[in-house]
Amino acid sequence: MVKKTFFIILANLVVLGGLSVGKIALADTANEQETTANLTEESFEEIVEEEHTTVFGPETRGSSISVNTPTPLWVSLGSVGKDFEDAVYDQGNIKIDGQLAPWRDLILTSTIQGGVDTITSRKNENETRWYLTTITDNNNVSNYTAASGEYRVNYGSSIVFGSGSNVSGAYTLHSRRKVTNILDYNITATNGNGDRDTILNGSYVGQDYYSIEYFSTLGDDWSKPTKTVTAKGDDKKSDVLKKWSNVSASSSGVVRTWCANPRYNQLFTSNGSSTQEKNYADKEGYAYYKITENGFEPLGTTPLKTTEQTISMTTTDKQLDEMVEKSFVDLPDTVEVIGFTEYPSRTKLGKTKGKVKVSEKSAVTGNKTIETIYTVPFNVIEQPLGVNLSSVVIPVGTHTELLDVNDYIERVTLGDEELSPSEYTATFETIPNTMKVGTQKTSIKVETKEGNKSVVEETTTNLIWGHTIGSSKDGTDETPIDISVSMLHGAQNPYLVANDGNGLNPGDIRYDTNFFVYRGANTQDNRIFYSPAFYPGGQATQTRDFWNDGGTRWTGSETYPGFKNTEFHYGDVVAYETLKSQHPADGELSEKMWATRDEKLVKESPGYQTVYYEMTEAGFNALRLNQLEVNPNLMTVDLGTEKSDMDKLAKNTMIIPEHIINKDDYRFEFASVDTKTSGKKKTKVNVYEKLVSGGDFRTQYDVEYIVNSQVTEKYVSETGDKLKDAKVTNVDLGKEYQGQPEKSMTISGDVYLYQGWLAGDKNPAKDKPTPGNPPVAKDTTTYQYVYKKADNMINMTIPTELLFETDKEDKQVSSKNYEIKNNSTDVSTEVILEEFVKETGDVKLLTSKDSNPTKETKAARLNVMENNKVVIDSLTEATTNQSIKTLKAGETTTIGLTGTYFGSMEESNHVNYHMNFKFKAGAN
């Protein structure tokens, strides 16, 4: 092929059906000949193929213009002529007189041969794709040149659904220069690669597979996109791409994408032949991108929704700062509103916008602090008087004079300015009926104190059961109410109001009722209020008014005070009673009584015709002290038991049923007791239940108890002296007791022997006791057991001297055996060596601790023998109080001495000792 160089001197080109057709004039610089040729696909390819360097026009035309022809030229999917011209400018290094040419100084026009809806790949890299771009100096149109050659297509900045090898759709962002340096943005939909006629994904037939949405402003309502396309898995790729086609965008816009398979929701970014694939989808499959000059960029923050706020022309910047957070809907905790970067204009009425900066640090931002500016809408209006009312919830029966209209008012504004209560007055236009449960319409008029502006707004008052007790036909709110009494809270004390509940029975109430209020105890003296049902007739409405207002039931009857005329305190106790006296056919009346708990009617005391409630700040506190049972197993106590001790046992007279949970809330005491005599006794037990308000409340039960009989056994001497504490035995009523005195007893070391018994009123010093056991006791009685001291009955025979000597041969000491005898027939006697006293002699007596001498010395070791057995080893002057033997009555034994002498037998020694004995009597 011959290499030639041409200079384009005229270009008049059009694009027809993808084929570039026209005429060009060519100057052959080698032969200086001018050639005219028809530009066809083939000729264009041939010409461009031979041209590698652009040569510029004659110097006589003025300044020179040059371009480095990109080889190849890279454009993105969906590009049009304008995108080619931008690419030539970016990649061609266009210069005028050697200086880079500003965009505004150039006019570029392009002709394209080939497609742009699929990327250049190995599969289609040999596909014919050519471009021709003329470049003209805008300041001197006679200066021009051209760039032409092969172009290739990459992803540019594309949101791609699928993978690099299998794209279900590519949505490419184009930013196009304008003369004013402002960019036009456009998002095109193209094939990307692969077959346009295939379905998107066979795994999602009939199901949504992906969606793409464009929002013109960050912060728009996410449910209202400017443009949206949703594709199902069995849709054809070409059909989906046609739905999007070509969408104009702005730099404030945001694109939201979603894919059923999050890993196929990707952002492809190409630079020449290199493409980077990244996935920014969250776990639900969503990704958010903002529009930038450099392509799609991940939003990188939590997308927020803005909402329009209403302001006035007098709204201040400070007021705007206070309301800035309200410009966003459902603001996450991780987002902080920093403030306005541009306040909205308030110079005229109508729509306006401001700009607000927010900061976020979260997992979405990669735990980095990212700031974003949102454009937020406002509506500037005149200054109306605005009133925000709330629905007020109050308990049924509330006195209307206690209603505070200001409880209904949330906010009063004049334009953007919030008024204080001192700047307006509020009054009820319609006051709610507080005597019936339900919703009541309530109108309130608000007037400014200056400016004479006023407005009437309507809200509701919701009447609830609150703290109410009462009765109805079936004990529920499904049947008309017979009695409904609510407790409400006044300035300091509670007050009671009989009301309609949710609708009173229009006729007579179906049973007799009584309403009591007590303070401290349910006695006549402690009653502070009482009212029966109205009579005659007993209509529910008449009873309601009678209980509220008081009065007489008929001419001449007693006067009842009414709730309105009675002062109640917290801690007072209500007793609500139903009786069968007039209507025995009504069935179990206790099943008709109820109390409200959490706005439900609850039967709290089935089976009881009277229910008790404490009036507390928290409502009616149910009491159960009338629901206890008397224990059929009578309590027994000892004769003479003190009342204080009886009170400790008083709880044994009662049974607390299982349905009563807080059993520790009760205490018990006897009203009176009699334990001076034995037998079955009757009395009353005071039952106290602890009150929430402090203190307790008392009622009484009739009970019986038993005082047992008592046998007293006294222990005395022959002179009547007390030997030890009497034994008192309590015997169950009707049972017998047999006394069995001890035959002997030891007191303070002395033994006493039983002599017989005497009745409690006898004198032991004068009356002779009767031997043996006392008779069986069948009732309370006293016996005296008479004892004689055993020491007075000792009778002993003992030796008056005890002689001993030493054997000359072996130096052994010995004596004969001397007899000791107990002559008593009643007591045993212990023989005790009290002391051993030296009178004469100089022989040392060895102790048990002394060793036997090895040399002759005047020393001896003596032992006391009893019945030929050693009882005292090493007898010395230090030996005292050593027991020798206890002899039973009439018993005899012997004593003697043995031992060893360690001195010289050549010398005679005489010693004398005094041995003292004492005797101790014991039981035989």
Side-chain angles (χ1 to χ4, degrees), residues 493-496 516-530 563 565-575 612-615 623 625 688-689 691 693-699:
N493 297 319
Y495 63 94
L496 297 174
F516 305 87
V517 181
Y518 298 99
R519 188 168 294 159
N522 62 342
T523 66
Q524 184 75 21
D525 292 339
N526 295 83
R527 191 174 74 189
I528 62 172
F529 179 87
Y530 163 61
F563 292 144
N565 304 309
T566 305
E567 181 179 296
F568 301 104
H569 296 164
Y570 293 115
D572 289 346
V573 173
V574 169
Y612 286 83
Y613 292 97
E614 176 194 0
M615 297 170 65
L623 302 180
L625 76 169
Y688 298 85
E689 184 170 359
L691 298 180
S693 305
D696 44 34
F697 185 75
R698 184 185 81 239
T699 189

Side-chain angles (χ1 to χ4, degrees), residues 309 311 315-328 337-346 353-358 373-378:
Q309 293 199 77
I311 58 177
T315 301
T316 65
D317 288 352
K318 181 179 179 182
Q319 290 172 324
L320 285 169
D321 290 337
E322 292 172 351
M323 60 193 295
V324 65
E325 287 195 5
K326 296 180 181 178
S327 293
F328 299 93
V337 178
I338 298 175
F340 284 96
T341 60
E342 182 180 319
Y343 289 99
S345 173
R346 287 141 283 169
K353 292 184 178 180
K355 292 185 178 181
V356 177
K357 182 187 289 185
V358 301
I373 295 178
Y374 280 81
T375 300
V376 295
F378 292 89

Side-chain angles (χ1 to χ4, degrees), residues 119-323:
I119 63 169
T120 301
S121 63
R122 289 183 179 179
K123 182 178 179 181
N124 60 13
E125 63 184 354
N126 294 321
E127 179 183 321
T128 302
R129 296 186 180 186
W130 300 99
Y131 75 97
L132 172 63
T133 301
T134 62
I135 307 164
T136 305
D137 184 347
N138 189 38
N139 298 313
N140 185 358
V141 294
S142 61
N143 290 323
Y144 51 84
T145 186
S148 63
E150 177 189 358
Y151 72 87
R152 295 186 180 180
V153 182
N154 60 20
Y155 283 101
S157 179
S158 296
I159 295 168
V160 174
F161 296 101
S163 62
S165 60
N166 184 16
V167 175
S168 297
Y171 296 80
T172 307
L173 176 62
H174 305 270
S175 55
R176 296 162 181 161
R177 290 187 183 86
K178 298 173 70 174
V179 176
T180 56
N181 287 331
I182 298 175
L183 297 177
D184 275 340
Y185 294 97
N186 195 269
I187 303 173
T188 61
T190 59
N191 190 37
N193 65 14
D195 188 352
R196 292 176 60 91
D197 292 328
T198 60
I199 65 171
L200 297 181
N201 194 316
S203 299
Y204 294 90
V205 173
Q207 303 176 53
D208 289 346
Y209 177 56
Y210 79 76
S211 67
I212 180 169
E213 301 167 286
Y214 170 71
F215 301 86
S216 60
T217 303
L218 178 63
D220 280 351
D221 187 340
W222 294 110
S223 65
K224 297 179 180 179
T226 305
K227 177 72 175 183
T228 182
V229 167
T230 301
K232 295 188 179 297
D234 50 343
D235 285 344
K236 280 189 176 182
K237 187 190 300 185
S238 58
D239 293 339
V240 176
L241 298 176
K242 287 177 183 177
K243 292 179 183 178
W244 183 270
S245 183
N246 202 329
V247 173
S248 294
S250 68
S251 59
S252 62
V254 177
V255 173
R256 178 169 69 177
T257 63
W258 170 83
C259 187
N261 187 338
R263 67 191 182 94
Y264 286 160
N265 184 356
Q266 303 192 75
L267 177 64
F268 284 17
T269 305
S270 295
N271 183 10
S273 61
S274 174
T275 298
Q276 187 179 46
E277 303 177 10
K278 285 193 175 181
N279 188 305
Y280 296 99
D282 59 25
K283 61 182 180 181
E284 284 81 23
Y286 286 97
Y288 295 82
Y289 302 97
K290 54 187 176 182
I291 307 296
T292 75
E293 181 179 353
N294 298 318
F296 290 118
E297 287 187 12
L299 188 58
T301 60
T302 302
L304 305 179
K305 176 185 175 183
T306 61
T307 184
E308 182 181 271
Q309 293 199 77
T310 300
I311 58 177
S312 73
M313 296 175 69
T314 59
T315 301
T316 65
D317 288 352
K318 181 179 179 182
Q319 290 172 324
L320 285 169
D321 290 337
E322 292 172 351
M323 60 193 295

Side-chain angles (χ1 to χ4, degrees), residues 32 39-40 55 103 107 211 221 231 262 283 310 313 387 443 468 511 601 752 835:
E32 294 185 353
L39 182 62
T40 65
V55 179
W103 174 261
I107 301 173
S211 67
D221 187 340
K283 61 182 180 181
T310 300
M313 296 175 69
V387 178
S443 297
T468 305
Y511 42 84
L601 275 58
Y752 291 83
E835 60 182 348

Side-chain angles (χ1 to χ4, degrees), residues 704-722:
E704 293 182 331
Y705 62 96
I706 294 174
V707 180
N708 288 329
S709 58
Q710 193 176 80
V711 176
T712 303
E713 298 169 284
K714 296 181 178 181
Y715 300 86
V716 297
S717 67
E718 294 175 299
T719 60
D721 296 327
K722 174 183 174 182

Side-chain angles (χ1 to χ4, degrees), residues 7-24:
F7 172 55
I8 302 175
I9 59 174
L10 177 65
N12 181 16
L13 305 176
V14 295
V15 178
L16 298 175
L19 176 63
S20 303
V21 179
K23 291 185 178 181
I24 60 173

Side-chain angles (χ1 to χ4, degrees), residues 806-813 842-848 850-863 873-875 898-907 909:
T806 303
D807 187 283
K808 201 171 188 179
E809 298 296 330
D810 57 10
K811 298 184 179 182
Q812 292 300 305
V813 178
D842 56 358
V843 177
K844 177 184 178 182
L845 297 181
L846 299 176
T847 68
S848 59
D850 295 330
S851 301
N852 291 335
T854 57
K855 297 180 180 180
E856 286 187 351
T857 183
K858 286 185 178 183
R861 187 181 301 280
L862 298 180
N863 303 313
D873 180 31
S874 300
L875 177 67
T898 62
T900 305
Y901 176 61
F902 298 98
S904 173
M905 294 304 294
E906 301 298 327
E907 186 178 351
N909 291 291

Side-chain angles (χ1 to χ4, degrees), residues 347-592:
T347 58
K348 61 181 180 179
L349 301 178
K351 305 291 184 179
T352 185
K353 292 184 178 180
K355 292 185 178 181
V356 177
K357 182 187 289 185
V358 301
S359 172
E360 179 177 7
K361 183 179 181 182
S362 66
V364 176
T365 67
N367 289 319
K368 297 179 181 179
T369 300
I370 296 180
E371 295 181 346
T372 308
I373 295 178
Y374 280 81
T375 300
V376 295
F378 292 89
N379 186 22
V380 183
I381 63 171
E382 291 184 353
Q383 287 185 302
L385 178 61
V387 178
N388 295 97
L389 299 180
S390 61
S391 178
V392 172
V393 177
I394 60 174
V396 65
T398 298
H399 287 167
T400 54
E401 62 269 21
L402 296 179
L403 293 179
D404 187 348
V405 69
N406 291 304
D407 291 340
Y408 293 81
I409 297 176
E410 288 185 349
R411 192 166 180 257
V412 177
T413 57
L414 186 59
D416 296 322
E417 181 182 357
E418 184 170 350
L419 301 183
S420 67
S422 63
E423 296 176 292
Y424 63 85
T425 59
T427 54
F428 284 108
E429 285 284 296
T430 57
I431 299 177
N433 173 18
T434 62
M435 294 296 284
K436 186 176 180 180
V437 172
T439 301
Q440 299 280 334
K441 290 183 179 180
T442 307
S443 297
I444 294 174
K445 182 178 182 180
V446 176
E447 294 182 276
T448 59
K449 292 183 178 179
E450 294 182 3
N452 298 321
K453 288 190 175 182
S454 66
V455 65
V456 176
E457 296 288 350
E458 187 176 275
T459 184
T460 57
T461 303
N462 188 16
L463 278 298
I464 62 174
W465 285 105
H467 309 308
T468 305
I469 57 176
S471 50
S472 56
K473 183 177 180 180
D474 62 357
T476 73
D477 58 0
E478 299 298 323
T479 56
I481 302 298
D482 286 324
I483 298 292
S484 176
V485 176
S486 298
M487 181 186 67
L488 302 114
H489 306 292
Q492 293 181 330
N493 297 319
Y495 63 94
L496 297 174
V497 176
N499 53 72
D500 296 346
N502 63 346
L504 280 184
N505 172 20
D508 292 351
I509 59 176
R510 285 170 288 274
Y511 42 84
D512 295 331
T513 60
N514 294 293
F515 199 93
F516 305 87
V517 181
Y518 298 99
R519 188 168 294 159
N522 62 342
T523 66
Q524 184 75 21
D525 292 339
N526 295 83
R527 191 174 74 189
I528 62 172
F529 179 87
Y530 163 61
S531 187
F534 186 76
Y535 181 88
Q539 284 191 340
T541 55
Q542 290 175 309
T543 299
R544 175 199 64 198
D545 297 338
F546 179 58
W547 284 12
N548 283 331
D549 302 328
T552 59
R553 300 174 77 190
W554 62 83
T555 302
S557 71
E558 68 176 290
T559 300
Y560 297 89
F563 292 144
K564 291 181 180 178
N565 304 309
T566 305
E567 181 179 296
F568 301 104
H569 296 164
Y570 293 115
D572 289 346
V573 173
V574 169
Y576 181 43
E577 179 180 78
T578 59
L579 302 174
K580 293 184 180 181
S581 58
Q582 298 297 321
H583 304 280
D586 273 348
E588 183 55 63
L589 297 181
S590 61
E591 295 295 331
K592 307 181 188 307

